[in-house]
Amino acid sequence: QSVLTQPPSVSGAPGQRVTISCTGSSSNLGANYFVHWYQQLPGTAPKLLIYDNNKRPSGVPDRFSGSKSGTSASLAISGLQADDEADYYCQSYDSSLRASRVFGGGTKLTVL
Amino acid sequence: VQLQESGPGLVKPSETLSLTCDVSGYSISNGSYWGWIRQPPGKGLEWIGSIYHTGQNYYNPSLRSRVSMSVDTSKNQFSLNLRSATAADTAVYYCAKEGRFYSLDFWGQGTLVTVSS
């Protein structure tokens, strides 16, 4: 059971927009700690995709965007492409678990 | 910034799993935290712990009794020891650099460690 809750899977057709939710609690997202998102392509290490709720590292296309409100956060991917098919993880900090960094369980994105 | 994990790919049950992360392109002493994350086959990511160049560390509560981490600034590397390993510790182990507000902005490629006799 992950501290942050994500749907196990989402899917969309090429060109469509999909969103992935990440639900936390009052000791992590609700306590105003930032949420970060990672993309893990098959067989590779995770890569930072969104940091500080909604910022993109250099090189990440603006098709990827993040938002956060209260105890929930979302990752949106617009203009879906075949190579967006990957696992996506949210991550934050939890003050109730002695400085723990916490992850969501991950969401598998399938491009139909 | 580049990170590279190294260590045995096979560990016997009850023994200590030991890994090292070599950092290049960035000095460990520059003031970031450095972390270990693992991923059991077919499962999600689990944070193991993070350490500062001074040695200040934070560990996952579920692993705290078995984990220790250290930093060697002269070699620009940091290390993980996980005692009393069991099959449940079989995973790909990643080292990573922490960026702003606990994000993990650079990752190593990962190394698979199997715990088996």
Side-chain angles (χ1 to χ4, degrees), chain B residues 1-4 21-28 30 32-34 76 78 95-99 104-109:
Chain B
V1 183
Q2 292 189 313
L3 298 95
Q4 178 69 57
C21 182
D22 288 295
V23 180
S24 58
Y26 192 94
S27 172
I28 276 191
N30 262 0
S32 295
Y33 273 86
W34 302 87
N76 216 41
F78 60 106
C95 60
K97 171 186 166 294
E98 286 196 10
L104 297 154
D105 53 3
F106 293 94
W107 294 66
Q109 64 184 30

Side-chain angles (χ1 to χ4, degrees), chain A:
Chain A
Q1 191 86 4
S2 300
V3 173
L4 304 177
T5 300
Q6 298 180 234
S9 63
V10 297
S11 62
Q16 284 189 333
R17 180 179 185 272
V18 296
T19 61
I20 297 173
S21 62
C22 175
T23 303
S25 66
S26 59
S27 60
N28 41 68
L29 303 189
N32 285 327
Y33 292 112
F34 287 110
V35 66
H36 316 291
W37 292 90
Y38 303 87
Q39 177 191 58
Q40 186 176 32
L41 297 169
T44 70
K47 166 192 154 186
L48 182 62
L49 192 66
I50 297 287
Y51 67 97
D52 297 358
N53 298 339
N54 55 18
K55 297 181 174 60
R56 286 184 305 276
S58 173
V60 173
D62 60 6
R63 300 185 299 104
F64 296 91
S65 62
S67 64
K68 175 178 169 286
S69 178
T71 58
S72 295
S74 289
L75 171 70
I77 310 171
S78 59
L80 263 184
Q81 300 178 358
D83 56 7
D84 294 333
E85 188 158 293
D87 293 322
Y88 293 84
Y89 294 90
C90 60
Q91 179 246 322
S92 186
Y93 175 96
D94 194 294
S95 59
S96 73
L97 298 172
R98 194 172 178 265
S100 279
R101 290 65 165 154
V102 291
F103 285 98
T107 299
K108 169 69 176 176
L109 168 63
T110 300
V111 181
L112 303 170

Side-chain angles (χ1 to χ4, degrees), chain B:
Chain B
V1 183
Q2 292 189 313
L3 298 95
Q4 178 69 57
E5 306 87 353
S6 62
L10 182 64
V11 174
K12 289 184 167 52
S14 81
E15 295 189 344
T16 296
L17 184 159
S18 296
L19 295 173
T20 296
C21 182
D22 288 295
V23 180
S24 58
Y26 192 94
S27 172
I28 276 191
S29 302
N30 262 0
S32 295
Y33 273 86
W34 302 87
W36 288 97
I37 302 95
R38 70 181 183 179
Q39 184 172 35
K43 296 190 177 180
L45 302 170
E46 178 182 35
W47 174 73
I48 300 171
S50 297
I51 189 166
Y52 200 57
H53 67 91
T54 57
Q56 169 98 56
N57 56 65
Y58 297 97
Y59 300 145
N60 186 321
S62 69
L63 298 170
R64 187 173 293 139
S65 64
R66 298 193 292 130
V67 169
S68 60
M69 296 174 61
S70 60
V71 171
D72 188 336
T73 54
S74 67
K75 295 182 178 178
N76 216 41
Q77 63 183 201
F78 60 106
S79 299
L80 168 72
N81 282 325
L82 181 63
R83 297 177 291 277
S84 304
T86 70
D89 296 314
T90 293
V92 175
Y93 285 76
Y94 296 100
C95 60
K97 171 186 166 294
E98 286 196 10
R100 292 166 54 92
F101 299 113
Y102 315 106
S103 63
L104 297 154
D105 53 3
F106 293 94
W107 294 66
Q109 64 184 30
T111 186
L112 174 63
V113 180
T114 301
V115 180
S116 174
S117 56

